[in-house]
Amino acid sequence: MTSVADPAQVAEVPSEPLVDKGLVKWHLTAAIFFMVTAMTWGFLVSLQFFGHYPFEGISFLSYGRVRLLHTNEIAYGFLVNGFVGCMYYAIPRMTGKSVASSKLGWLIFGVWQFIIVAMSVGQLLGFGQGVEWGETPTGFRPGTWELQYIPVDFLIELGAVLVAIQFLTPIVKSVRKHQYVSLWYLTAGMIWLILTYVMGNTLPEWTLAGTSGAATVGLFIHDLVGLFVTPMGWGLMYFFVPVILRKPIWSHALSVIGFWALAFFYPLNGVHHFLLSSIPMSVQYGAIISTMAVEIVVTTVVVNFFATMWGRGDALRTNLPIRWFFTGMICYFITCLQCMFHTTLTMQEIIHFTDWVPGHAHLVMLGVFAFWIMGMTTWLWPRLTGSDWHNRRLNHWHYWLTVIGLVIMFGDLTAAGLVHGYMLAALSPWMEIVRAMHGFWVIRTFAGGMIVAGQLCFAWNMYKTCTGEVKPYDYRVDLATVEA
Amino acid sequence: MRSMTRPGPLLHVLAILALVVPAALLLSSRDVPAQEGDAGGRVGLTLADWPAGPAAARGRVVYDKYCVGCHGSSGMGDGTASRWLNPAPRNFQSGNFKFRSTESGQLPTEADLMHVITCGLAGSAMPGFPLVPEQERRDVARYVMHLATLGLGQREVRYLMEEEELSLDEIRAEHLEVIRAGAEQRVASVKTIPIPVAPPITAALIAQGKQVFDTQCAACHGATGRGDGSSSYTLRDYKDDEIRPRDFTTGVFRAGSTPQDLYLRLRAGLSGTPMPAIPGSDEEIWAQVYYILSLRDPDAQTTYVPQVCGGEDPQR
């Protein structure tokens, strides 16, 4: 078969100054590094559940501290670095303008990695604060202005502001009458990150006491998910899916409805983390209702993605990034459907304080957003290094190990949560529950091991692609698919 | 607390009805009456009357593994899954093949079938089978042709039974050889449509295509090519199912989206659908092809790159 145009004419190799590939590359490298670190610690600490943790008895590496490391490095080390890296590629290509400054970019990169390291060390030293998913040390003695440690909270706020300046510059410069939905999402995500972070890391610490503080913390947790991670993930998906499929999204109208519905329904969700607590019931009901309403938002994205895929089902077999996106989208649908049901008080009575919750959290953060970032990295890396993947087969190992590991982990933790919940409801003695959970926890560790192994395959492949022998990689091939 | 009472007789009756009624509905709906044009119906030749060559016999084994679920055991498009599929699976015995490189009304070539088997039909339930070994795909293509010739034979048989009032046994004994030879002749006599070299895409050619489109195509495909023309909701296919004209703005074409693919669709028409073969000079056809492509992408002149099936996506 012949193509209508000469591939040489079609090839639009991105001009160098538009995208600073170095920044993309290093942010993605940092993202994968912190992901592997965080997952390794998660794997190790899961051994403690059945008494095989190698660092038993060392206070720095005790469960209560390493757990923070696991969740926070994923949030700030992996997700933020991954999103920022992909934005360095996506935003200049969408706006046609470079980011504010490459120097600023390297400053942000340096500051951000310093923040992650300082955060991790601070948490291991015991300076973590009691804000779930935001245990980044304030650095101050609680409730006072006496400095004990590096004020990581404020550095993160500074970093978030710098990121916003960096990326809003090209977006503002290119504002037109119609802005593509990705830019809506990414712009909002960057601004919401700053606001959310300030809310969660100043109000409970200095002003709001008791349940008000707790309610604010609840809002923070889910606003970080809903007003930062989600819009970033969707914004980038709305860019990468059409680019990789070479096919526009199915419905622009639907994408914009999704955006405004997100902005409208998501902010109130957070209190659903503290259902059946002493927070006023009106607030709890509000959280439940808005959580269910988020389903509307989710549907727009899911429908738009699958409708965009229509007619390109072959890409699932031939195109690994699309397969990652597709798998992530299925996980996304499951997670959100699950969310709609387990946010009800009826179901909370059973699953609250059980392993159901980490099961759900892994499905959404690993199964959805990490899968999407992995897909984007799989697609971007050859373009950044100018060399084809060192070993494509390893990428498939990465995919299958991670996906199978996640499915096992999610199924296992969900089942464990139900067993645990019903045992709690039956007032079983604590030790009985621990005995009943033993098998589930062993399986969870096994699944975690598979996931870590998958990431190691990927990290090694990235390293070899970057440093090993250059395999010629032709951009033109991407644009004009030829018969192999 | 009141203890559970034993279920009464009414409950038994209801439970039995709850099981039996849906089962009966499910079974009864299987007996779809034979439709106009689906050759043969229930009375007529069977596969036993129609011996397959070695390739088609091998293909039957492959067919019974991958295809039977939708297309049915005798290729009538009546497999178990067919009820839930829209567009419905093809009835091979009907002799209607949409995606051909042969002239209007003829059977497809083996290469046409291979393309569909390998690449699938985008936007339908028909997947591509590129992972099935090529020899097996070829065998299946031969078997599909075999089913199509059986369908042709069925029509002859029905004619002889209805018009000449011969019995099936008489036909089997005396006329089968001739019928078979006639069907084989139909396969052998197909004329493929040569694809001329595509001219470069120009704005003038696209404008010319628009003119033809507005007068000839817009009634079904709509003025903007969204498949929403004035007659678009009235169309029926060979099974008398509703069928909608293609929405050109999606950029998804069932059997390939290269200009060459579209050239063939226009030249050959889509058998079994209201889409006719389009007359006209080569230039007019190319003009329409380019105009159709430009409906999906206004910049088609410079950036249009078709998806070509076969082989792996180099992006992965």
Side-chain angles (χ1 to χ4, degrees), chain B residues 5-294:
Chain B
T5 49
R6 283 169 58 88
L10 185 65
L11 211 60
H12 281 297
V13 173
L14 283 178
I16 291 167
L17 281 179
L19 287 173
V20 168
V21 171
L25 287 175
L26 210 64
L27 290 173
S28 65
S29 64
R30 291 181 69 89
D31 278 321
V32 187
Q35 279 160 9
E36 204 62 41
D38 97 14
R42 298 282 159 203
V43 188
L45 302 176
T46 63
L47 280 166
D49 298 317
W50 211 251
R58 285 196 307 272
R60 183 175 185 177
V61 178
V62 184
Y63 179 95
D64 285 348
K65 195 158 143 197
Y66 300 117
C67 320
V68 72
C70 297
H71 289 286
S73 55
S74 53
M76 308 271 278
D78 56 356
T80 318
S82 62
R83 189 179 323 166
W84 291 280
L85 302 182
N86 181 11
R90 188 111 313 242
N91 176 351
F92 299 127
Q93 292 203 30
S94 77
N96 291 305
F97 289 84
K98 275 162 99 174
F99 308 109
R100 292 166 295 109
S101 61
T102 58
E103 287 181 358
S104 183
Q106 296 186 336
L107 291 174
T109 64
E110 193 185 304
D112 294 337
L113 295 178
M114 275 297 280
H115 185 268
V116 174
I117 293 167
T118 308
C119 305
L121 297 175
S124 81
M126 172 73 189
F129 291 89
L131 302 181
V132 172
E134 192 186 336
Q135 187 56 50
E136 293 190 11
R137 279 180 275 142
R138 288 200 182 284
D139 292 342
V140 165
R142 292 294 284 276
Y143 184 60
V144 169
M145 289 299 277
H146 180 71
L147 291 169
T149 55
L150 173 61
L152 293 175
Q154 298 279 30
R155 273 186 223 176
E156 292 295 318
V157 170
R158 179 190 274 180
Y159 174 82
L160 292 175
M161 287 169 75
E162 286 175 3
E163 303 295 325
E164 311 283 333
E165 298 187 340
L166 297 175
S167 76
L168 197 55
D169 288 332
E170 280 174 307
I171 297 171
R172 278 204 179 104
E174 292 169 29
H175 301 276
L176 202 54
E177 294 279 310
V178 182
I179 293 174
R180 182 74 194 255
E184 297 294 345
Q185 176 61 27
R186 289 277 294 275
V187 176
S189 67
V190 297
K191 273 194 201 153
T192 51
I193 298 170
I195 307 177
V197 177
I201 308 181
T202 61
L205 210 50
I206 290 178
Q208 185 190 346
K210 178 173 164 52
Q211 274 189 347
V212 184
F213 187 92
D214 287 347
T215 53
Q216 291 186 12
C217 318
C220 295
H221 289 282
T224 56
R226 297 207 63 151
D228 56 357
S230 53
S231 63
S232 62
Y233 292 92
T234 63
L235 304 176
R236 301 267 166 173
D237 71 358
Y238 70 106
K239 291 181 169 177
D240 206 32
D241 288 341
E242 284 181 21
I243 187 169
R244 294 285 309 277
R246 181 104 309 229
D247 175 353
F248 295 129
T249 61
T250 61
V252 174
F253 296 95
R254 294 249 191 273
S257 57
T258 64
Q260 286 75 12
D261 289 323
L262 298 190
Y263 178 90
L264 286 178
R265 298 298 92 79
L266 292 181
R267 267 285 185 232
L270 304 179
S271 295
T273 77
M275 170 76 189
I278 306 291
S281 70
D282 284 347
E283 192 190 64
E284 281 168 4
I285 300 284
W286 285 121
Q288 289 179 68
V289 166
Y290 291 154
Y291 177 64
I292 288 168
L293 289 174
S294 77

Side-chain angles (χ1 to χ4, degrees), chain A residues 16-197:
Chain A
E16 282 307 326
L18 189 60
V19 174
D20 188 332
K21 287 187 184 169
L23 283 168
V24 188
K25 207 157 103 178
W26 277 99
H27 272 289
L28 290 181
T29 308
I32 301 300
F33 173 79
F34 284 119
M35 178 179 71
V36 172
T37 317
M39 285 185 179
T40 307
W41 280 111
F43 170 73
L44 288 175
V45 88
S46 76
L47 291 165
Q48 179 160 22
F49 283 77
F50 46 98
H52 285 77
Y53 186 45
F55 308 114
E56 187 80 66
I58 304 173
S59 66
F60 298 122
L61 300 176
S62 60
Y63 181 82
R65 298 186 186 185
V66 175
R67 180 190 177 280
L68 311 186
L69 205 69
H70 177 64
T71 58
N72 284 253
E73 280 194 354
I74 286 293
Y76 306 105
F78 170 54
L79 292 176
V80 172
N81 267 319
F83 287 143
V84 168
C86 293
M87 282 202 294
Y88 271 118
Y89 186 84
I91 288 186
R93 314 260 335 223
M94 276 189 283
T95 58
K97 309 256 189 273
S98 313
V99 289
S101 148
S102 280
K103 279 189 187 137
L104 177 62
W106 289 110
L107 177 72
I108 293 172
F109 180 78
V111 169
W112 201 266
Q113 308 327 315
F114 172 76
I115 289 170
I116 312 299
V117 173
M119 177 195 82
S120 309
V121 173
Q123 284 168 348
L124 292 184
L125 291 174
F127 291 110
Q129 59 174 341
V131 176
E132 196 180 344
W133 227 35
E135 290 100 341
T136 48
T138 41
F140 297 96
R141 187 178 291 283
T144 70
W145 291 100
E146 188 191 327
L147 200 62
Q148 289 175 309
Y149 183 70
I150 304 165
V152 176
D153 276 358
F154 291 110
L155 284 175
I156 290 189
E157 277 151 27
L158 174 76
V161 170
L162 290 180
V163 166
I165 294 172
Q166 175 79 316
F167 291 108
L168 290 184
T169 310
I171 294 177
V172 169
K173 270 191 203 163
S174 73
V175 166
R176 273 167 275 171
K177 197 177 168 199
H178 301 290
Q179 203 74 314
Y180 183 54
V181 67
S182 285
L183 295 175
W184 283 93
Y185 274 126
L186 298 177
T187 307
M190 284 183 280
I191 293 170
W192 285 335
L193 173 65
I194 300 169
L195 298 178
T196 303
Y197 214 83

